[in-house]
Amino acid sequence: MHDSGADNAPCVIVIAACTTLGTTLVVRLVGEIDCHSVAPLRALLASAAADGYTGLVLDTARVDFCDSSFLAVLEWWPRRGRRLTVANRSRAVRRLLTAAAVDVPGRHAAPAGRLMAAATS
């Protein structure tokens, strides 16, 4: 059996805590966020939006890995005037947000600029 060195284990994100402060939802995340693990977070946020929550604080101190799936969640929440704060950013989250803000040739910088504004508000 050949091991390429790649980690083939599926990522897992855990919603470690979820509390509310008025119309703001505070969510503490633990683990890894990718296209396979993001579904529970998306479902939670869709339900919260449908229930009228307008603010979201994501505590990402214990997020070990995240990819563009997490960016999609961050871009989705601020629609329709909802507020987003990404608190206690782990190294992985800081790296992703920094990479998203880079103007890559052939890619427009505007969405990343809106994302960064939303993630820091």
Side-chain angles (χ1 to χ4, degrees), residues 52-70:
Y53 287 93
T54 57
L56 174 63
V57 176
L58 291 175
D59 182 333
T60 61
R62 295 183 55 201
V63 172
D64 300 319
F65 171 83
C66 53
D67 67 8
S68 61
S69 301
F70 188 51

Side-chain angles (χ1 to χ4, degrees), residues 1 5 9 11 14 29 37 45 57 62 64 72 84 111:
M1 181 168 156
C11 292
V14 174
L29 302 171
S37 68
L45 298 184
V57 176
R62 295 183 55 201
D64 300 319
L84 169 67

Side-chain angles (χ1 to χ4, degrees), residues 24-27 29 54-60 70 74 77-78 82-89 93 97 115-121:
T24 299
L25 185 67
V26 180
V27 179
L29 302 171
T54 57
L56 174 63
V57 176
L58 291 175
D59 182 333
T60 61
F70 188 51
L74 297 181
W77 180 265
R82 295 184 294 250
R83 298 172 321 280
L84 169 67
T85 302
V86 180
N88 302 321
R89 297 174 187 178
V93 171
L97 292 175
L115 172 63
M116 292 302 290
T120 58
S121 62

